[in-house]
Amino acid sequence: MSVVVYIESQKGVVKKAGLEIASFGRAIADASQDSLVAVTFNLEDTSTLKLYGVDKVYNVNTEEDNFFNVERYANSIQNVVLKEAAKIILVSASADGRYLGPILAVKSKAAYFSNVVALPTSYDPLTVKRSCFTNKAFNESTTNEECSVISLCSNAYGLKEKQGLAEVVEASYETSSTSLKVVSVDKVTDKITIADADIVVSGGRGLKGPENWHLIEDLATVLGAATACSKPVSDMGWRPHSEHVGQTGKPVASNLYIAIGVSGAIQHLAGINSSKVKVVINNDPEAPFFKAADYGIVGDAFEVVPQLISKLKALKQ
Amino acid sequence: MNILVCISNVPDTTSKINFKDQNEAFDTNGVQFIINPNDEFGLTRAIWLQQKSGAKVTVVTIGDSSCEPILRKCLAIGADQAIRIDAHPLDGFFVASQLAALCKKETYDLIITGRESIDYNGAMVGGMLATMLSLPYVANCIQMDVEGTNVSLQREIDGGKETLISTFPIVLGAQKGLVEESDLIIPNMRGIMQARQKPLTVESAITLNQATSVKIFEKPPEKGPVKLVDSNDVDGLIELLQNEAKVL
Ligand SMILES: Cc1cc2nc3c(=O)[nH]c(=O)nc-3n(C[C@H](O)[C@H](O)[C@H](O)COP(=O)(O)OP(=O)(O)OC[C@H]3O[C@@H](n4cnc5c(N)ncnc54)[C@H](O)[C@@H]3O)c2cc1C
């Protein structure tokens, strides 16, 4: 039998989340003594997958269709699931992965587990640990179906190299039966996204105004980080809505989250608390963020952040 | 146009999360329940279509009678009628299956779910429901423009947005952007009075096999106190992030 993993790529190159889900898949395949079968779309070079323990790759060529067409992707993956008689299907927790997962689960008559944070604790029946209540708790859930789809939280497992064959086989791009069509994509390609970033630098109302955002941007640049902001900051138009993180904004699950001039309201924390290490810089020692953070500096952002930027720059040289 | 808005009854974000029965069940004691925020964005967008073109807005939830106050609130906000499917929502698949059964009995042109609920954060009901009905689904929907039987939508993606077109019927996963927080409708006295007269019907659930079972809940271990570094010692912070946290 096989474990089937959907590996995301961008412009023909595997995304980091794709390598993480492959690593996770390898460990599951080892534990359940299955082979690890990847489904990719328009991958230019499948050899990277050899380093992450993939045994076989179905690389679908979508030809005329450049967009992520969720129906066609789901049908194409479903095809491989049937061929391989897979009992476990894995997807990343990216926007596309979370879009695809439930659709694929219904098509495959599979149970669906989102927000999975670790390797299964049992394979008979399949049992997984998931986060819930916006990371204020976890639960252990078991499948009642023959087949299950697991969506792994970003950065929950990490990258683990292991040799594999990554033998490439033919795969077909299936059709869609609904009227839905993607007509255009509007995406920043020169900046690292909040979803893909290892480090996120976030600014709050404490930065006083958009003219001071060079502090956030310079710090992010030296760290190779994505930039984010609190809700009032995007509501006031200091920053674009796409940077708003929290309960009503984007979720963040980075390895390092640096909050500057953010008070740490519960709705803000709800969106960012699955980040591994949290750092706060705030001039109010009573700010609630200090209760949620791992490291903190009580101080004025306008003094601390420039020092941090120059020290980090010096370190990088 | 017939619109169905699927509503989840969720604990307010500020609620204390506790468990009971040897950690096998969520303890609702002292918890304040609200309309799931993503569902409320969707409901507001539906009300706009009702006001503009006379669409009929039905809200539905799966739950016991303790969910009725939030359905009444949806009616006070402006929904025309409410349905409660009388069952304990066991998991996302169960909820999607109940909704699919309802949608096969009635015809809806537009079915709105929230991008995700803020209790289980599953982000699965909309996609599952659409697939069960063989309808298109747009997740993380931040814009919708209706032109006759055609609809143009935007989906938020990592690092940007995507524009899609479709015909009705369609299922979408609403989130902020579809309407803004300042657009949310606060029920007035008249709305609240009218809501009492509007139909709220209770329907029985279909029986089905549960796809997943939650066995046990646990809370994360208590976090240790924050390590404070002096504001004149950014070197100290960098050193901790490099050598202790190992994130730089
Ligand atoms: C239903 C609902 C949903 C919400 N969803 C979200 C969400 O998704 N995301 C979100 O962020 N918020 C959300 N909020 C809002 C949230 O409750 C807070 O109001 C918001 O997060 C506060 O933003 P802030 O920390 O930037 O501003 P403030 O709370 O004003 O905090 C600014 C902080 O900066 C500090 N500061 C000031 N000057 C300096 C300085 N010179 N140097 C260092 N620090 C300084 C202050 O001490 C203060 O702690 C939501 C609220 C509701 C009711």
Side-chain angles (χ1 to χ4, degrees), chain A residues 96 98-99 114-115 129 133-134 136 138-142 144 179 181 183-184 186 188 231 244 247 249 293-296 311, chain B residues 13 115-116 119 121-122 137 155 159-161 163-167 176 181 210-211 213 215-216 218 220 223 226-227 229 235 244:
Chain A
D96 288 352
R98 280 167 70 89
Y99 186 14
S114 46
N115 306 320
K129 185 173 173 181
F133 297 102
T134 43
K136 281 191 262 181
F138 297 100
N139 70 56
E140 222 173 57
S141 307
T142 60
N144 303 320
S179 64
K181 272 197 193 65
V183 288
S184 64
D186 180 3
V188 257
K231 180 167 124 34
H244 161 200
Q247 183 196 304
D294 302 286
Y295 301 99
K311 299 270 186 190
Chain B
T13 333
R115 146 185 112 177
E116 67 179 49
D119 50 2
N121 315 97
Y137 178 59
R155 174 172 77 100
K161 61 189 178 203
T163 305
L164 306 100
I165 50 167
S166 180
T167 53
K176 194 188 116 175
E181 224 139 298
Q210 222 180 307
S213 311
K215 295 293 178 206
I216 198 142
E218 73 180 56
K223 206 187 72 58
V226 60
K227 269 198 188 163
V229 178
D235 283 326
E244 189 178 87

Short mmCIF file of all heavy atoms in Angstrom, two decimals, chain A residues 96 98-99 114-115 129 133-134 136 138-142 144 179 181 183-184 186 188 231 244 247 249 293-296 311, chain B residues 13 115-116 119 121-122 137 155 159-161 163-167 176 181 210-211 213 215-216 218 220 223 226-227 229 235 244:
data_model
loop_
_atom_site.label_atom_id
_atom_site.label_comp_id
_atom_site.label_asym_id
_atom_site.label_seq_id
_atom_site.Cartn_x
_atom_site.Cartn_y
_atom_site.Cartn_z
N ASP A 96 -4.02 26.80 -0.31
CA ASP A 96 -4.47 25.83 -1.31
C ASP A 96 -4.70 24.45 -0.69
O ASP A 96 -5.68 23.77 -1.03
CB ASP A 96 -3.44 25.70 -2.45
CG ASP A 96 -3.42 26.92 -3.36
OD1 ASP A 96 -4.30 27.79 -3.21
OD2 ASP A 96 -2.52 27.01 -4.22
N ARG A 98 -5.56 23.72 2.38
CA ARG A 98 -6.77 23.71 3.21
C ARG A 98 -8.04 23.81 2.35
O ARG A 98 -9.12 23.46 2.78
CB ARG A 98 -6.73 24.85 4.24
CG ARG A 98 -5.86 24.49 5.44
CD ARG A 98 -5.55 25.71 6.30
NE ARG A 98 -6.69 26.23 7.04
CZ ARG A 98 -7.05 25.84 8.25
NH1 ARG A 98 -6.39 24.90 8.88
NH2 ARG A 98 -8.07 26.39 8.86
N TYR A 99 -7.88 24.32 1.14
CA TYR A 99 -8.99 24.41 0.19
C TYR A 99 -9.26 23.01 -0.38
O TYR A 99 -10.40 22.55 -0.47
CB TYR A 99 -8.55 25.38 -0.90
CG TYR A 99 -9.54 25.80 -1.96
CD1 TYR A 99 -10.92 25.59 -1.83
CD2 TYR A 99 -9.09 26.46 -3.10
CE1 TYR A 99 -11.79 26.02 -2.82
CE2 TYR A 99 -9.95 26.89 -4.08
CZ TYR A 99 -11.30 26.66 -3.94
OH TYR A 99 -12.17 27.10 -4.92
N SER A 114 -7.97 18.15 9.98
CA SER A 114 -7.16 19.35 9.77
C SER A 114 -6.44 19.68 11.07
O SER A 114 -6.74 19.11 12.12
CB SER A 114 -8.03 20.52 9.32
OG SER A 114 -9.19 20.61 10.10
N ASN A 115 -5.48 20.60 10.98
CA ASN A 115 -4.74 21.08 12.16
C ASN A 115 -4.00 19.99 12.91
O ASN A 115 -3.89 20.05 14.13
CB ASN A 115 -5.67 21.81 13.13
CG ASN A 115 -6.44 22.92 12.46
OD1 ASN A 115 -5.89 23.65 11.64
ND2 ASN A 115 -7.71 23.05 12.77
N LYS A 129 -3.26 13.83 16.71
CA LYS A 129 -3.43 14.95 17.64
C LYS A 129 -3.61 16.23 16.83
O LYS A 129 -2.85 16.49 15.90
CB LYS A 129 -2.18 15.06 18.52
CG LYS A 129 -2.26 16.10 19.60
CD LYS A 129 -1.05 16.00 20.51
CE LYS A 129 -1.02 17.14 21.51
NZ LYS A 129 0.16 17.08 22.37
N PHE A 133 -9.71 25.14 19.28
CA PHE A 133 -9.95 26.37 20.05
C PHE A 133 -8.78 27.34 19.85
O PHE A 133 -8.18 27.81 20.82
CB PHE A 133 -10.20 26.07 21.52
CG PHE A 133 -11.44 25.25 21.75
CD1 PHE A 133 -11.35 23.89 22.00
CD2 PHE A 133 -12.69 25.83 21.66
CE1 PHE A 133 -12.49 23.12 22.16
CE2 PHE A 133 -13.84 25.07 21.82
CZ PHE A 133 -13.75 23.71 22.08
N THR A 134 -8.47 27.60 18.57
CA THR A 134 -7.36 28.47 18.19
C THR A 134 -6.14 28.27 19.10
O THR A 134 -5.65 29.19 19.73
CB THR A 134 -7.76 29.96 18.13
OG1 THR A 134 -8.57 30.27 19.25
CG2 THR A 134 -8.52 30.28 16.89
N LYS A 136 -5.75 26.90 21.89
CA LYS A 136 -5.86 26.90 23.34
C LYS A 136 -5.98 25.47 23.86
O LYS A 136 -5.96 25.24 25.07
CB LYS A 136 -7.05 27.75 23.80
CG LYS A 136 -6.71 29.25 23.75
CD LYS A 136 -7.76 30.09 24.44
CE LYS A 136 -8.72 30.67 23.44
NZ LYS A 136 -9.74 31.51 24.00
N PHE A 138 -5.79 20.90 22.56
CA PHE A 138 -5.56 19.86 21.55
C PHE A 138 -6.61 18.78 21.74
O PHE A 138 -7.17 18.64 22.83
CB PHE A 138 -4.19 19.22 21.73
CG PHE A 138 -3.06 20.19 21.52
CD1 PHE A 138 -2.41 20.77 22.61
CD2 PHE A 138 -2.65 20.54 20.25
CE1 PHE A 138 -1.38 21.67 22.43
CE2 PHE A 138 -1.62 21.45 20.05
CZ PHE A 138 -0.99 22.01 21.15
N ASN A 139 -6.87 18.01 20.69
CA ASN A 139 -7.66 16.81 20.91
C ASN A 139 -7.08 15.65 20.14
O ASN A 139 -6.34 15.83 19.16
CB ASN A 139 -9.15 17.02 20.59
CG ASN A 139 -9.44 17.19 19.12
OD1 ASN A 139 -9.10 16.33 18.30
ND2 ASN A 139 -10.06 18.30 18.77
N GLU A 140 -7.37 14.45 20.62
CA GLU A 140 -6.93 13.26 19.92
C GLU A 140 -8.16 12.68 19.23
O GLU A 140 -9.19 12.48 19.88
CB GLU A 140 -6.34 12.27 20.92
CG GLU A 140 -5.10 11.64 20.36
CD GLU A 140 -4.39 10.77 21.38
OE1 GLU A 140 -5.01 9.84 21.90
OE2 GLU A 140 -3.22 11.04 21.60
N SER A 141 -8.06 12.44 17.92
CA SER A 141 -9.21 11.96 17.16
C SER A 141 -8.83 10.71 16.40
O SER A 141 -7.68 10.56 15.97
CB SER A 141 -9.66 13.00 16.14
OG SER A 141 -9.89 14.23 16.75
N THR A 142 -9.82 9.83 16.23
CA THR A 142 -9.56 8.61 15.46
C THR A 142 -10.46 8.57 14.23
O THR A 142 -11.52 9.19 14.20
CB THR A 142 -9.85 7.34 16.29
OG1 THR A 142 -11.22 7.38 16.65
CG2 THR A 142 -8.99 7.26 17.52
N ASN A 144 -12.92 6.65 11.51
CA ASN A 144 -13.85 5.53 11.41
C ASN A 144 -13.96 5.07 9.96
O ASN A 144 -14.83 4.30 9.61
CB ASN A 144 -15.24 5.94 11.91
CG ASN A 144 -15.18 6.45 13.35
OD1 ASN A 144 -14.46 5.90 14.17
ND2 ASN A 144 -15.91 7.51 13.65
N SER A 179 -18.72 24.62 -12.96
CA SER A 179 -18.55 25.78 -13.84
C SER A 179 -17.45 26.73 -13.35
O SER A 179 -17.18 27.74 -13.98
CB SER A 179 -19.87 26.53 -13.91
OG SER A 179 -20.18 27.04 -12.62
N LYS A 181 -14.14 28.67 -12.65
CA LYS A 181 -12.88 28.88 -13.37
C LYS A 181 -12.08 29.99 -12.72
O LYS A 181 -12.63 31.02 -12.34
CB LYS A 181 -13.17 29.33 -14.80
CG LYS A 181 -13.34 28.20 -15.77
CD LYS A 181 -13.21 28.70 -17.20
CE LYS A 181 -13.70 27.64 -18.15
NZ LYS A 181 -15.16 27.38 -18.00
N VAL A 183 -9.72 33.03 -13.23
CA VAL A 183 -9.41 33.88 -14.38
C VAL A 183 -8.11 34.65 -14.22
O VAL A 183 -7.45 34.97 -15.20
CB VAL A 183 -10.57 34.84 -14.76
CG1 VAL A 183 -11.72 34.06 -15.37
CG2 VAL A 183 -11.05 35.63 -13.56
N SER A 184 -7.72 34.95 -12.99
CA SER A 184 -6.44 35.63 -12.81
C SER A 184 -5.93 35.47 -11.39
O SER A 184 -6.71 35.19 -10.47
CB SER A 184 -6.57 37.12 -13.14
OG SER A 184 -7.44 37.74 -12.22
N ASP A 186 -3.33 37.42 -8.57
CA ASP A 186 -2.64 38.66 -8.28
C ASP A 186 -1.81 38.39 -7.03
O ASP A 186 -2.36 38.26 -5.93
CB ASP A 186 -3.73 39.73 -8.02
CG ASP A 186 -3.14 41.07 -7.69
OD1 ASP A 186 -1.91 41.20 -7.71
OD2 ASP A 186 -3.94 41.99 -7.41
N VAL A 188 2.08 38.79 -4.89
CA VAL A 188 3.41 39.39 -4.78
C VAL A 188 4.43 38.26 -4.89
O VAL A 188 4.32 37.26 -4.20
CB VAL A 188 3.65 40.07 -3.42
CG1 VAL A 188 3.56 41.56 -3.55
CG2 VAL A 188 2.74 39.55 -2.33
N LYS A 231 -4.69 44.23 13.76
CA LYS A 231 -5.91 44.63 13.05
C LYS A 231 -6.11 46.14 12.97
O LYS A 231 -6.35 46.66 11.88
CB LYS A 231 -7.10 43.95 13.71
CG LYS A 231 -8.43 44.26 13.08
CD LYS A 231 -9.46 43.30 13.59
CE LYS A 231 -10.65 43.94 14.23
NZ LYS A 231 -11.13 45.18 13.74
N HIS A 244 -2.72 41.79 7.91
CA HIS A 244 -3.47 41.66 9.17
C HIS A 244 -3.47 40.21 9.65
O HIS A 244 -3.92 39.32 8.95
CB HIS A 244 -4.88 42.20 8.93
CG HIS A 244 -5.91 41.77 9.92
ND1 HIS A 244 -7.26 41.81 9.66
CD2 HIS A 244 -5.82 41.27 11.18
CE1 HIS A 244 -7.94 41.38 10.69
NE2 HIS A 244 -7.08 41.02 11.63
N GLN A 247 -7.21 36.50 14.84
CA GLN A 247 -8.43 35.70 14.71
C GLN A 247 -9.19 35.99 13.42
O GLN A 247 -9.68 35.08 12.76
CB GLN A 247 -9.33 36.00 15.90
CG GLN A 247 -10.59 35.18 15.92
CD GLN A 247 -11.60 35.79 16.86
OE1 GLN A 247 -11.31 35.99 18.03
NE2 GLN A 247 -12.76 36.12 16.35
N GLY A 249 -7.83 37.71 10.88
CA GLY A 249 -6.88 37.90 9.79
C GLY A 249 -6.22 36.59 9.42
O GLY A 249 -6.82 35.53 9.53
N ALA A 293 4.62 35.60 25.53
CA ALA A 293 5.91 35.57 24.83
C ALA A 293 6.93 34.70 25.54
O ALA A 293 6.82 34.41 26.73
CB ALA A 293 6.44 36.99 24.69
N ASP A 294 7.94 34.27 24.77
CA ASP A 294 9.06 33.53 25.35
C ASP A 294 10.18 34.49 25.76
O ASP A 294 10.84 34.29 26.76
CB ASP A 294 9.59 32.55 24.31
CG ASP A 294 8.51 31.59 23.86
OD1 ASP A 294 8.16 30.70 24.64
OD2 ASP A 294 7.98 31.77 22.73
N TYR A 295 10.39 35.52 24.94
CA TYR A 295 11.43 36.50 25.23
C TYR A 295 10.83 37.89 25.07
O TYR A 295 9.93 38.08 24.23
CB TYR A 295 12.61 36.35 24.25
CG TYR A 295 13.24 34.98 24.30
CD1 TYR A 295 12.93 34.01 23.35
CD2 TYR A 295 14.13 34.64 25.32
CE1 TYR A 295 13.49 32.75 23.41
CE2 TYR A 295 14.69 33.38 25.39
CZ TYR A 295 14.37 32.43 24.43
OH TYR A 295 14.91 31.19 24.50
N GLY A 296 11.34 38.83 25.86
CA GLY A 296 10.79 40.16 25.74
C GLY A 296 11.76 41.24 26.14
O GLY A 296 12.70 41.00 26.91
N LYS A 311 22.79 45.58 14.83
CA LYS A 311 23.54 44.41 15.35
C LYS A 311 23.38 43.21 14.43
O LYS A 311 24.33 42.47 14.17
CB LYS A 311 23.05 44.03 16.75
CG LYS A 311 23.22 45.12 17.78
CD LYS A 311 24.57 45.01 18.47
CE LYS A 311 24.58 46.06 19.58
NZ LYS A 311 25.84 46.28 20.22
N THR B 13 -14.21 34.33 21.74
CA THR B 13 -12.74 34.15 21.83
C THR B 13 -12.19 34.32 23.23
O THR B 13 -11.18 33.73 23.58
CB THR B 13 -12.00 35.22 20.99
OG1 THR B 13 -12.82 35.65 19.95
CG2 THR B 13 -10.66 34.73 20.51
N ARG B 115 -15.35 30.69 6.51
CA ARG B 115 -14.06 30.11 6.12
C ARG B 115 -13.67 28.99 7.09
O ARG B 115 -13.20 27.95 6.70
CB ARG B 115 -13.01 31.22 6.12
CG ARG B 115 -11.63 30.80 6.55
CD ARG B 115 -10.67 31.97 6.63
NE ARG B 115 -10.28 32.26 8.01
CZ ARG B 115 -9.41 33.20 8.34
NH1 ARG B 115 -8.85 33.96 7.43
NH2 ARG B 115 -9.09 33.39 9.61
N GLU B 116 -13.89 29.23 8.37
CA GLU B 116 -13.67 28.22 9.39
C GLU B 116 -14.40 28.67 10.64
O GLU B 116 -14.73 29.84 10.78
CB GLU B 116 -12.18 28.03 9.70
CG GLU B 116 -11.52 29.22 10.36
CD GLU B 116 -10.03 28.97 10.69
OE1 GLU B 116 -9.30 28.51 9.81
OE2 GLU B 116 -9.63 29.28 11.81
N ASP B 119 -13.98 27.52 16.87
CA ASP B 119 -13.78 26.51 17.92
C ASP B 119 -12.90 25.37 17.44
O ASP B 119 -11.83 25.13 17.97
CB ASP B 119 -15.10 26.04 18.54
CG ASP B 119 -16.15 25.61 17.53
OD1 ASP B 119 -15.86 25.64 16.32
OD2 ASP B 119 -17.26 25.26 17.95
N ASN B 121 -11.79 25.18 14.17
CA ASN B 121 -10.93 25.69 13.10
C ASN B 121 -10.73 24.70 11.97
O ASN B 121 -9.68 24.66 11.35
CB ASN B 121 -9.55 26.10 13.65
CG ASN B 121 -9.62 26.89 14.94
OD1 ASN B 121 -9.46 26.35 16.02
ND2 ASN B 121 -9.89 28.17 14.83
N GLY B 122 -11.73 23.89 11.72
CA GLY B 122 -11.55 22.79 10.76
C GLY B 122 -11.48 23.23 9.31
O GLY B 122 -10.82 22.61 8.50
N TYR B 137 -16.92 25.32 -5.12
CA TYR B 137 -16.66 25.93 -3.81
C TYR B 137 -15.53 26.94 -3.92
O TYR B 137 -14.52 26.68 -4.55
CB TYR B 137 -16.27 24.84 -2.81
CG TYR B 137 -15.93 25.39 -1.43
CD1 TYR B 137 -16.87 26.12 -0.72
CD2 TYR B 137 -14.68 25.19 -0.86
CE1 TYR B 137 -16.57 26.65 0.53
CE2 TYR B 137 -14.36 25.70 0.40
CZ TYR B 137 -15.32 26.43 1.08
OH TYR B 137 -15.02 26.95 2.32
N ARG B 155 -10.66 34.89 -4.05
CA ARG B 155 -10.21 34.02 -2.96
C ARG B 155 -8.87 34.55 -2.47
O ARG B 155 -7.98 34.84 -3.27
CB ARG B 155 -10.05 32.59 -3.46
CG ARG B 155 -9.45 31.64 -2.42
CD ARG B 155 -9.48 30.19 -2.89
NE ARG B 155 -8.44 29.88 -3.86
CZ ARG B 155 -7.29 29.26 -3.57
NH1 ARG B 155 -7.01 28.91 -2.33
NH2 ARG B 155 -6.41 29.00 -4.51
N GLY B 159 -0.03 35.14 -0.10
CA GLY B 159 0.69 36.17 -0.84
C GLY B 159 -0.13 36.94 -1.85
O GLY B 159 0.44 37.68 -2.65
N GLY B 160 -1.44 36.82 -1.83
CA GLY B 160 -2.23 37.59 -2.78
C GLY B 160 -3.66 37.14 -2.88
O GLY B 160 -4.24 36.67 -1.90
N LYS B 161 -4.23 37.31 -4.06
CA LYS B 161 -5.62 36.88 -4.26
C LYS B 161 -5.82 36.35 -5.67
O LYS B 161 -5.00 36.60 -6.56
CB LYS B 161 -6.58 38.03 -3.95
CG LYS B 161 -6.39 39.21 -4.83
CD LYS B 161 -7.20 40.39 -4.33
CE LYS B 161 -6.93 41.59 -5.24
NZ LYS B 161 -7.21 42.86 -4.62
N THR B 163 -8.89 35.61 -8.73
CA THR B 163 -10.25 35.94 -9.18
C THR B 163 -10.84 34.74 -9.91
O THR B 163 -10.17 34.13 -10.74
CB THR B 163 -10.22 37.18 -10.11
OG1 THR B 163 -9.57 38.23 -9.41
CG2 THR B 163 -11.62 37.61 -10.50
N LEU B 164 -12.08 34.41 -9.56
CA LEU B 164 -12.74 33.25 -10.16
C LEU B 164 -14.11 33.65 -10.69
O LEU B 164 -14.69 34.63 -10.22
CB LEU B 164 -12.93 32.14 -9.11
CG LEU B 164 -11.72 31.65 -8.35
CD1 LEU B 164 -11.68 32.28 -6.96
CD2 LEU B 164 -11.74 30.14 -8.21
N ILE B 165 -14.59 32.90 -11.68
CA ILE B 165 -15.97 33.11 -12.14
C ILE B 165 -16.71 31.79 -12.11
O ILE B 165 -16.10 30.72 -12.21
CB ILE B 165 -16.03 33.70 -13.58
CG1 ILE B 165 -15.15 32.88 -14.53
CG2 ILE B 165 -15.65 35.16 -13.60
CD1 ILE B 165 -15.38 33.19 -15.99
N SER B 166 -18.02 31.89 -11.95
CA SER B 166 -18.83 30.69 -11.91
C SER B 166 -20.27 31.08 -12.23
O SER B 166 -20.59 32.26 -12.37
CB SER B 166 -18.75 30.07 -10.52
OG SER B 166 -19.53 28.90 -10.45
N THR B 167 -21.11 30.07 -12.32
CA THR B 167 -22.54 30.34 -12.37
C THR B 167 -23.12 29.85 -11.05
O THR B 167 -22.49 29.06 -10.34
CB THR B 167 -23.22 29.56 -13.52
OG1 THR B 167 -22.87 28.19 -13.39
CG2 THR B 167 -22.76 30.06 -14.88
N LYS B 176 -13.52 37.93 6.49
CA LYS B 176 -13.41 39.38 6.45
C LYS B 176 -12.94 39.78 5.06
O LYS B 176 -12.08 39.12 4.48
CB LYS B 176 -12.42 39.85 7.50
CG LYS B 176 -12.49 41.35 7.74
CD LYS B 176 -11.40 41.82 8.64
CE LYS B 176 -10.52 42.76 7.84
NZ LYS B 176 -9.47 43.40 8.55
N GLU B 181 -15.57 44.70 9.02
CA GLU B 181 -16.14 44.64 10.37
C GLU B 181 -17.12 45.80 10.62
O GLU B 181 -18.14 45.63 11.27
CB GLU B 181 -15.01 44.73 11.38
CG GLU B 181 -15.19 43.74 12.49
CD GLU B 181 -13.87 43.13 12.84
OE1 GLU B 181 -13.26 42.47 11.99
OE2 GLU B 181 -13.45 43.35 13.96
N GLN B 210 -20.41 8.21 11.64
CA GLN B 210 -19.49 9.28 11.96
C GLN B 210 -18.12 8.98 11.33
O GLN B 210 -17.62 7.86 11.46
CB GLN B 210 -19.32 9.27 13.47
CG GLN B 210 -19.31 10.61 14.10
CD GLN B 210 -19.14 10.46 15.59
OE1 GLN B 210 -19.89 9.72 16.24
NE2 GLN B 210 -18.16 11.15 16.14
N ALA B 211 -17.53 9.98 10.65
CA ALA B 211 -16.24 9.75 9.98
C ALA B 211 -15.08 9.77 10.97
O ALA B 211 -14.10 9.04 10.81
CB ALA B 211 -16.03 10.80 8.90
N SER B 213 -13.92 10.42 15.34
CA SER B 213 -14.38 10.55 16.73
C SER B 213 -13.30 11.24 17.55
O SER B 213 -12.14 10.85 17.48
CB SER B 213 -14.62 9.18 17.35
OG SER B 213 -15.40 8.39 16.50
N LYS B 215 -11.54 11.62 20.85
CA LYS B 215 -11.42 10.76 22.02
C LYS B 215 -11.16 11.56 23.30
O LYS B 215 -11.76 11.32 24.33
CB LYS B 215 -10.28 9.75 21.82
CG LYS B 215 -10.53 8.77 20.71
CD LYS B 215 -11.69 7.83 21.05
CE LYS B 215 -11.96 6.89 19.89
NZ LYS B 215 -13.30 6.39 19.84
N ILE B 216 -10.22 12.47 23.20
CA ILE B 216 -9.83 13.17 24.43
C ILE B 216 -9.26 14.55 24.12
O ILE B 216 -8.69 14.75 23.06
CB ILE B 216 -8.82 12.30 25.22
CG1 ILE B 216 -8.74 12.75 26.67
CG2 ILE B 216 -7.43 12.29 24.59
CD1 ILE B 216 -8.59 11.60 27.63
N GLU B 218 -6.89 17.89 25.53
CA GLU B 218 -5.89 18.26 26.53
C GLU B 218 -5.52 19.71 26.31
O GLU B 218 -5.69 20.26 25.23
CB GLU B 218 -4.65 17.36 26.43
CG GLU B 218 -3.78 17.62 25.22
CD GLU B 218 -2.55 16.71 25.16
OE1 GLU B 218 -2.72 15.48 25.18
OE2 GLU B 218 -1.43 17.25 25.07
N PRO B 220 -2.51 22.69 26.45
CA PRO B 220 -1.05 22.72 26.35
C PRO B 220 -0.45 22.93 27.74
O PRO B 220 -1.10 23.52 28.61
CB PRO B 220 -0.76 23.91 25.43
CG PRO B 220 -2.02 24.68 25.34
CD PRO B 220 -3.14 23.80 25.76
N LYS B 223 2.83 27.63 30.04
CA LYS B 223 4.04 28.22 29.49
C LYS B 223 4.85 28.84 30.63
O LYS B 223 4.29 29.39 31.55
CB LYS B 223 3.64 29.30 28.50
CG LYS B 223 4.67 29.58 27.45
CD LYS B 223 4.28 30.77 26.61
CE LYS B 223 4.42 32.08 27.34
NZ LYS B 223 5.73 32.40 27.87
N VAL B 226 8.01 34.73 30.67
CA VAL B 226 8.83 35.35 29.62
C VAL B 226 10.24 35.63 30.16
O VAL B 226 10.41 35.97 31.33
CB VAL B 226 8.13 36.64 29.14
CG1 VAL B 226 7.95 37.63 30.26
CG2 VAL B 226 8.85 37.28 27.96
N LYS B 227 11.25 35.46 29.32
CA LYS B 227 12.62 35.85 29.71
C LYS B 227 12.83 37.29 29.27
O LYS B 227 12.80 37.59 28.07
CB LYS B 227 13.63 34.96 28.98
CG LYS B 227 14.00 33.74 29.76
CD LYS B 227 15.28 33.11 29.26
CE LYS B 227 15.42 31.79 30.00
NZ LYS B 227 16.35 30.88 29.38
N VAL B 229 14.90 40.70 28.68
CA VAL B 229 16.25 41.16 28.39
C VAL B 229 16.23 42.67 28.54
O VAL B 229 15.25 43.32 28.13
CB VAL B 229 16.64 40.76 26.95
CG1 VAL B 229 18.03 41.26 26.60
CG2 VAL B 229 16.54 39.26 26.74
N ASP B 235 22.16 42.60 22.24
CA ASP B 235 23.07 41.46 22.00
C ASP B 235 22.61 40.23 22.78
O ASP B 235 22.67 39.12 22.29
CB ASP B 235 24.49 41.80 22.46
CG ASP B 235 25.19 42.70 21.44
OD1 ASP B 235 24.92 42.51 20.24
OD2 ASP B 235 25.97 43.57 21.86
N GLU B 244 19.81 29.59 22.42
CA GLU B 244 18.86 28.89 23.26
C GLU B 244 17.64 28.46 22.45
O GLU B 244 17.32 27.28 22.36
CB GLU B 244 18.43 29.79 24.43
CG GLU B 244 17.61 29.02 25.46
CD GLU B 244 17.23 29.92 26.64
OE1 GLU B 244 16.18 30.59 26.52
OE2 GLU B 244 17.97 29.93 27.63
#
